[in-house]
Amino acid sequence: MDLTVDTAALPCVIVVFGPSGEFAKKKILPALWTMYREEVLPSNITFVGYSFVRSEMRIEMLQAILKQNCKVQAQYGKYARFLRSFLYVTGKYHEDDGFKDLNALVEGIEDKNGKPANRLFYLALPPTVFEPVTSLLKKHCMNNKGNSWSRVLIEKPFGHDTESSAKLSEHLAGLFKEEQIYRTDHYLGKEMVQNLMVLRFGNRLLGGWNRDNVASVMISFKEDFGTQGRAGYFDKSGIIRDVMQNHLMQILTLVAMEKPCSLEAEDIRNEKVKVLKSIAPVTIDDVVHGQYIANANSKHPEAAVGYLDEDGVPKDSVTPTYALAVLRVNNERWDGVPFFLRCGKGLNERKAEVRIQFREVPGDIFKNGELKRNELVIRVQPSEAVYYKMMTKTPGMGFGVDETELDLTYNDRYKGIRLPDAYERLFLEVINGSQINFVRTDELDYAWKIFTPLLKKIENEKIKPKPYSFGSRGPEEADLLMKKYGFVFTGTYKWTSPNKL
Ligand code: NDP
Ligand code: BG6
C-alpha cells in the first residue's frame, strides 16, 4: 500500500495520551520526530501531549523528554520547529475539564487555519483508565466538522481474557464506529511481517506452503533481557498474554491464511479470522511454560535475580516468562502440521523469526543421512533476512552433498535503505485510513478463545512453570515437545556471513 500522505490535506492533530510513560518515551515520541523529520506527515501538523494533572508536567518537561528520547543528531532547525508544533494539555482521566480544554485547543487550531482538523488520538494508557478516557473523548473531542475525521489508536492490553476483551469491545463499539478504531499490534508494522504477504502471494515457488510439503512451522520471539524492572506489571499478564496471544498469533494468521481476494483490509482480515476459527483452544498438554531463575554464570545485569525474587512478584507466582504452545490449523491446507509458537524473556539471544521446516525429499537416492530438511527462515529481527536452507552439490570434484542457503539479507541487498520503525508505518496507515495492519474485534475475540482456557487452567490450578536459567535457550522440555511433534534439529548447519568470507 502506498503510504504517501496527502500533505496538503486538512490540518492534522495527533494527541498522545500519557506522553511521559515509558512506552511513549521509547517508541511513540521518537517515531513522531522521525516522521516529522522525513516530512511524511501532513504539513499542517500539531502534536498534543495530554498528561494526567498529578504528574505536574509542563511543556518544558515534555520538551526535555523529547530531547532525551529523539536522539537528534542533525537538522536542529527542523527539530526546533518540531518542538514548537508540540502543545500540551493537563487534565484528569476521569473528569470532563481536561477533555474540554483539549477540544478547545483543537478548535483553536481549526479557527486559526479556517479549516476543520483531522484528529488522531493515541492512547498508551493503563487499562484502568481506558474506559473513562474513551468515553470522555467521545463526549467532548470528536465533534468533527466538514469532512474531517477522528480516529482512535489504542494499545494492548485489550482485556486479559475472552470475557474482559468482549466487555471492552462492547464499550468501544458503543462509542465509535469500527472504522474509527485502530487496535495496534506493532508486529504488524514490522517490515518482515508485512513482507509475509508478498513472499507468499507474490512468488509461485514460495506461496505453495501446505501439508504436503511443510513438516512444521515455528514462530519464535526471544528476548535476552528480563522484565527490566517491570516485573510487578508483567506478573499480571505473563508472556502468553504479552506476546503469544497477539504478536505471534498475528504472524501465524499471515503465514497460514488463504490468499485474500484483494488487498482491502476487510478481505485480508476475513481470511485471518478464518484461520483463527480453525484453531482449537490450546491445551496444557501441548504447552511448556517456564520461568527464568538466576544464573550466577551470566554477566547480564538482570541474571543475578530470578523472576520470583523480583520486586512485585509473589513468591508463588505461576506467571510464565517463557512459553511454547503447539497449535493446529484444522483445514485442508494445514491438517496435521504443527505450529510451534515460542516466546520468552531472559533467553540466550534476541530474535524474532518464522521458520518453515519442510518434509524430507521422498525416495531419497543419496547416502543415508546426507540430505537434511530444508528450512525457510524469515527473520523479523534483528537484521532482517529471508534465507532458505537447502542442499547443493559440494563444489569441486566428487559428488558430495552440502548444506547451504539462498540468502536475502537486507543489509547486503538493500544497502543504505532505512527501514522505518513499526510505529512510523502504523501512524501513517491510520492517517491514510488503512486498517490492513490493525486488529479487528472478531480477530481479537477468536485469538482470546484459543488461549483463555489455558490461562485459566494455569492460574486456577497454579500449575508451576518449568525453571530455566537466565540466558539459556529456555526449558529443555520445550525441545522435547517439539521433537515429539516432529521438529528435527540436526545441528549440522553452519552459516558464515559472506561479509566474513
Ligand atoms: P540452525 O540449524 O543452527 O538452528 C535451527 C533452529 O534450531 C534454531 O531455531 C535454533 O535455535 C534451534 N536449536 C538450536 N539448538 C537446538 C537444540 N539443541 N534442539 C532443538 N533446536 C535447537 O540454523 P539457523 O537457521 O538458526 O542458522 C544458524 C545461524 O546462522 C543463525 O544465527 C542465523 O541467524 C544465521 N544465518 C544468518 C543468515 C543471514 O543473516 N542472512 C542466513 C543464514 C543463517 P533456537 O531454538 O534457540 O531458536
Ligand atoms: C511488547 C511487549 O508488546 O513487545 C514487550 O509488551 C516486548 O514485553 C515488546 O518486549 C517487544 O517488541 P519489539 O518490537 O522490541 O520486539
Side-chain angles (χ1 to χ4, degrees):
M1 192 199 42
D2 180 13
L3 282 184
T4 316
V5 164
D6 177 5
T7 47
L10 294 178
C12 184
V13 182
I14 299 184
V15 182
V16 179
F17 282 86
S20 55
E22 275 315 301
F23 186 74
K25 284 200 249 178
K26 237 167 61 187
K27 299 274 192 189
I28 302 308
L29 303 180
L32 294 180
W33 157 239
T34 310
M35 289 187 292
Y36 187 88
R37 186 192 67 204
E38 298 295 312
E39 299 180 9
V40 293
L41 287 168
S43 52
N44 196 339
I45 186 95
T46 309
F47 307 98
V48 181
Y50 184 107
S51 219
F52 187 49
V53 77
R54 196 182 53 192
S55 70
E56 286 175 2
M57 205 174 77
R58 296 286 170 265
I59 190 71
E60 296 74 25
M61 289 167 73
L62 179 63
Q63 290 181 347
I65 289 174
L66 284 164
K67 192 169 170 201
Q68 207 178 5
N69 293 281
C70 293
K71 301 195 175 65
V72 181
Q73 283 161 351
Q75 309 201 31
Y76 292 101
K78 198 180 262 182
Y79 181 65
R81 287 197 293 284
F82 172 67
L83 286 188
R84 281 201 296 278
S85 40
F86 236 105
L87 306 177
Y88 189 66
V89 176
T90 48
K92 296 205 166 132
Y93 290 139
H94 296 81
E95 292 176 12
D96 298 74
D97 290 356
F99 291 83
K100 286 184 187 163
D101 291 348
L102 175 61
N103 191 53
L105 190 146
V106 178
E107 287 186 348
I109 293 169
E110 292 179 325
D111 290 345
K112 200 169 105 194
N113 285 283
K115 283 181 188 169
N118 292 325
R119 304 165 184 210
L120 192 167
F121 300 102
Y122 175 80
L123 273 59
L125 292 170
T128 43
V129 298
F130 203 76
E131 293 199 3
V133 167
T134 44
S135 299
L136 289 167
L137 259 184
K138 170 72 183 173
K139 185 171 167 195
H140 295 295
C141 304
M142 295 178 76
N143 43 343
N144 283 88
K145 301 180 191 93
N147 57 351
S148 66
W149 47 253
S150 282
R151 293 175 187 151
V152 183
L153 182 53
I154 56 178
E155 278 293 332
K156 73 180 173 68
F158 307 123
H160 58 272
D161 57 16
T162 309
E163 294 77 24
S164 52
S165 165
K167 185 171 166 277
L168 182 60
S169 295
E170 215 173 286
H171 167 82
L172 290 173
L175 297 174
F176 313 123
K177 295 188 197 116
E178 182 72 21
E179 61 265 27
Q180 290 183 297
I181 308 172
Y182 289 74
R183 289 181 199 81
T184 46
D185 184 309
H186 76 283
Y187 266 63
L188 292 178
K190 292 194 186 259
E191 180 73 28
M192 299 310 279
V193 175
Q194 297 202 340
N195 195 8
L196 283 167
M197 291 259 295
V198 180
L199 290 175
R200 287 195 63 204
F201 304 123
N203 293 298
R204 180 104 192 204
L205 187 65
L206 294 183
W209 304 339
N210 59 36
R211 65 194 302 275
D212 298 332
N213 298 314
V214 175
S216 67
V217 177
M218 179 176 0
I219 302 171
S220 301
F221 165 101
K222 298 170 78 176
E223 282 182 337
D224 56 0
F225 46 85
T227 59
Q228 300 187 304
R230 292 163 57 234
Y233 164 78
F234 182 84
D235 199 65
K236 293 184 188 69
S237 59
I239 202 77
I240 296 174
R241 288 190 178 92
D242 192 39
V243 171
M244 189 179 278
Q245 182 272 350
N246 36 71
H247 304 328
L248 299 194
M249 281 309 283
Q250 283 295 327
I251 296 179
L252 184 152
T253 56
L254 290 169
V255 170
M257 73 180 185
E258 295 302 315
K259 189 194 282 190
C261 53
S262 80
L263 290 177
E264 292 297 315
E266 292 322 306
D267 289 333
I268 295 171
R269 299 197 292 185
N270 286 344
E271 292 304 332
K272 288 168 75 185
V273 164
K274 282 188 210 158
V275 173
L276 294 169
K277 286 171 83 171
S278 308
I279 301 176
V282 61
T283 63
I284 191 76
D285 295 337
D286 283 340
V287 169
V288 172
H289 67 305
Q291 227 174 36
Y292 60 76
I293 54 172
N295 178 358
N297 297 322
S298 165
K299 290 196 178 73
H300 193 285
E302 286 184 275
V305 181
Y307 178 72
L308 289 181
D309 292 320
E310 287 184 35
D311 284 346
V313 178
K315 291 282 173 263
D316 61 347
S317 168
V318 294
T319 300
T321 58
Y322 174 100
L324 161 75
V326 189
L327 272 58
R328 307 273 176 180
V329 181
N330 183 28
N331 64 18
E332 198 169 344
R333 179 182 292 275
W334 294 114
D335 188 12
V337 179
F339 282 74
F340 304 116
L341 302 193
R342 282 191 322 174
C343 46
K345 291 184 181 278
L347 295 173
N348 60 332
E349 61 181 332
R350 175 173 177 261
K351 81 169 178 191
E353 67 176 29
V354 177
R355 186 174 293 266
I356 317 277
Q357 188 170 85
F358 292 89
R359 294 185 188 284
E360 280 82 10
V361 175
D364 184 1
I365 54 169
F366 298 93
K367 269 193 233 147
N368 204 8
E370 264 192 334
L371 294 190
K372 304 294 181 308
R373 283 184 167 185
N374 294 160
E375 283 184 345
L376 178 71
V377 182
I378 296 120
R379 197 169 54 214
V380 175
Q381 64 188 33
S383 313
E384 292 81 352
V386 182
Y387 58 96
Y388 178 59
K389 292 161 63 176
M390 54 170 279
M391 310 308 299
T392 192
K393 178 186 146 325
T394 312
M397 302 292 268
F399 201 70
V401 171
D402 193 34
E403 209 178 351
T404 186
E405 71 285 317
L406 288 176
D407 180 4
L408 170 60
T409 297
Y410 271 44
N411 279 339
D412 294 332
R413 179 62 179 80
Y414 298 110
K415 272 200 174 70
I417 290 246
R418 190 184 80 84
L419 295 179
D421 177 74
Y423 278 97
E424 294 172 37
R425 285 203 184 86
L426 295 177
F427 268 109
L428 290 188
E429 290 183 14
V430 181
I431 291 172
N432 276 330
S434 165
Q435 290 192 313
I436 292 181
N437 290 306
F438 294 87
V439 184
R440 205 167 64 184
T441 313
D442 50 351
E443 277 182 83
L444 193 59
D445 182 43
Y446 286 114
W448 272 121
K449 282 183 176 140
I450 294 167
F451 290 100
T452 296
L454 170 77
L455 288 163
K456 288 201 168 152
K457 187 166 177 77
I458 293 175
E459 285 155 15
N460 295 343
E461 297 178 24
K462 288 215 147 276
I463 302 176
K464 275 198 158 189
K466 305 276 185 277
Y468 63 96
S469 266
F470 194 107
S472 69
R473 289 185 52 253
E476 251 173 59
E477 290 83 349
D479 282 344
L480 296 176
L481 186 63
M482 290 202 303
K483 199 169 167 192
K484 177 178 150 196
Y485 284 119
F487 182 76
V488 175
F489 174 71
T490 57
T492 50
Y493 176 69
K494 299 279 170 279
W495 184 70
T496 315
S497 164
N499 300 328
K500 290 193 185 140
L501 287 176

